[in-house]
Amino acid sequence: MFAATVDAYETEGAAVFDVGLARSTSVLIFAVLMMAAMWALAIAVLIGAWFLVSRRKGLTWPALGWMATSHPSEPARESPHRI
């Protein structure tokens, strides 16, 4: 997930370590593909809603259900205050 680089050198009698962390290429590629997929889903929902409204069919329950399942939601977070 990370690419680490370590450079060691000596300056004025002290050892210096220069450590760098960066995201690996595979993580960046995956993130870009996921962003493209989410944009594609959003555009598909907009086109679907436009077709429903322009044909005067209205937003029926199945159409609303399809749009709701197309939208990714955040995972539920646990409350920090547990009883």
Side-chain angles (χ1 to χ4, degrees):
M1 293 187 74
F2 290 98
T5 58
V6 178
D7 293 326
Y9 53 90
E10 184 178 342
T11 303
E12 299 176 6
V16 177
F17 292 98
D18 188 17
V19 179
L21 287 175
R23 294 279 184 187
S24 64
T25 306
S26 61
V27 171
L28 293 175
I29 290 172
F30 180 71
V32 169
L33 288 175
M34 288 307 298
M35 283 188 280
M38 293 300 114
W39 273 106
L41 276 174
I43 291 169
V45 167
L46 286 174
I47 291 171
W50 180 73
F51 272 114
L52 285 171
V53 172
S54 67
R55 293 181 182 180
R56 300 197 187 273
K57 298 282 187 187
L59 291 176
T60 60
W61 285 109
L64 291 174
W66 174 74
M67 289 180 208
T69 58
S70 299
H71 177 53
S73 61
E74 290 186 21
R77 296 183 181 147
E78 290 187 24
S79 172
H81 307 290
R82 296 182 117 176
I83 298 175

Short mmCIF file of all heavy atoms in Angstrom, two decimals, residues 5-11 14-19:
data_model
loop_
_atom_site.label_atom_id
_atom_site.label_comp_id
_atom_site.label_asym_id
_atom_site.label_seq_id
_atom_site.Cartn_x
_atom_site.Cartn_y
_atom_site.Cartn_z
N THR A 5 10.94 5.00 1.16
CA THR A 5 12.33 5.26 0.77
C THR A 5 13.08 5.74 2.00
O THR A 5 12.56 6.52 2.80
CB THR A 5 12.41 6.35 -0.32
OG1 THR A 5 11.80 7.53 0.15
CG2 THR A 5 11.72 5.89 -1.59
N VAL A 6 14.30 5.24 2.15
CA VAL A 6 15.13 5.64 3.29
C VAL A 6 16.52 6.00 2.76
O VAL A 6 17.15 5.22 2.06
CB VAL A 6 15.25 4.49 4.32
CG1 VAL A 6 16.15 4.90 5.46
CG2 VAL A 6 13.89 4.07 4.82
N ASP A 7 16.95 7.20 3.09
CA ASP A 7 18.30 7.65 2.75
C ASP A 7 19.03 7.95 4.06
O ASP A 7 18.49 8.61 4.94
CB ASP A 7 18.26 8.92 1.89
CG ASP A 7 17.67 8.67 0.52
OD1 ASP A 7 17.88 7.56 -0.01
OD2 ASP A 7 17.00 9.58 -0.01
N ALA A 8 20.24 7.44 4.15
CA ALA A 8 21.04 7.69 5.36
C ALA A 8 22.32 8.41 4.95
O ALA A 8 22.96 8.05 3.97
CB ALA A 8 21.36 6.37 6.05
N TYR A 9 22.67 9.42 5.71
CA TYR A 9 23.92 10.14 5.47
C TYR A 9 24.36 10.79 6.77
O TYR A 9 23.63 10.82 7.76
CB TYR A 9 23.76 11.17 4.34
CG TYR A 9 22.62 12.14 4.51
CD1 TYR A 9 22.81 13.36 5.16
CD2 TYR A 9 21.36 11.84 4.00
CE1 TYR A 9 21.76 14.25 5.31
CE2 TYR A 9 20.31 12.72 4.14
CZ TYR A 9 20.51 13.93 4.80
OH TYR A 9 19.48 14.80 4.95
N GLU A 10 25.57 11.29 6.74
CA GLU A 10 26.15 11.89 7.95
C GLU A 10 26.35 13.39 7.71
O GLU A 10 26.87 13.81 6.69
CB GLU A 10 27.49 11.23 8.27
CG GLU A 10 28.10 11.73 9.55
CD GLU A 10 29.40 11.02 9.86
OE1 GLU A 10 29.67 9.95 9.31
OE2 GLU A 10 30.16 11.58 10.67
N THR A 11 25.91 14.19 8.70
CA THR A 11 26.07 15.63 8.64
C THR A 11 26.61 16.12 9.97
O THR A 11 25.99 15.88 11.01
CB THR A 11 24.72 16.32 8.34
OG1 THR A 11 24.21 15.81 7.13
CG2 THR A 11 24.89 17.81 8.23
N ALA A 14 26.69 13.72 12.85
CA ALA A 14 25.43 13.10 13.27
C ALA A 14 24.88 12.28 12.11
O ALA A 14 24.95 12.68 10.95
CB ALA A 14 24.42 14.16 13.68
N ALA A 15 24.33 11.13 12.46
CA ALA A 15 23.69 10.29 11.45
C ALA A 15 22.29 10.83 11.17
O ALA A 15 21.54 11.15 12.08
CB ALA A 15 23.60 8.86 11.94
N VAL A 16 21.98 10.97 9.90
CA VAL A 16 20.69 11.51 9.50
C VAL A 16 19.99 10.48 8.62
O VAL A 16 20.58 9.93 7.69
CB VAL A 16 20.86 12.84 8.72
CG1 VAL A 16 19.51 13.35 8.26
CG2 VAL A 16 21.58 13.86 9.56
N PHE A 17 18.74 10.22 8.95
CA PHE A 17 17.92 9.32 8.15
C PHE A 17 16.79 10.14 7.54
O PHE A 17 16.04 10.81 8.25
CB PHE A 17 17.32 8.19 9.00
CG PHE A 17 18.34 7.22 9.50
CD1 PHE A 17 18.84 7.33 10.78
CD2 PHE A 17 18.80 6.21 8.68
CE1 PHE A 17 19.78 6.45 11.25
CE2 PHE A 17 19.74 5.31 9.14
CZ PHE A 17 20.23 5.43 10.42
N ASP A 18 16.66 10.07 6.25
CA ASP A 18 15.58 10.75 5.54
C ASP A 18 14.60 9.68 5.08
O ASP A 18 14.90 8.88 4.19
CB ASP A 18 16.14 11.54 4.35
CG ASP A 18 15.09 12.40 3.69
OD1 ASP A 18 14.04 12.64 4.33
OD2 ASP A 18 15.33 12.85 2.56
N VAL A 19 13.43 9.63 5.71
CA VAL A 19 12.44 8.59 5.43
C VAL A 19 11.26 9.22 4.70
O VAL A 19 10.74 10.26 5.11
CB VAL A 19 11.95 7.93 6.74
CG1 VAL A 19 10.91 6.87 6.45
CG2 VAL A 19 13.11 7.34 7.51
#
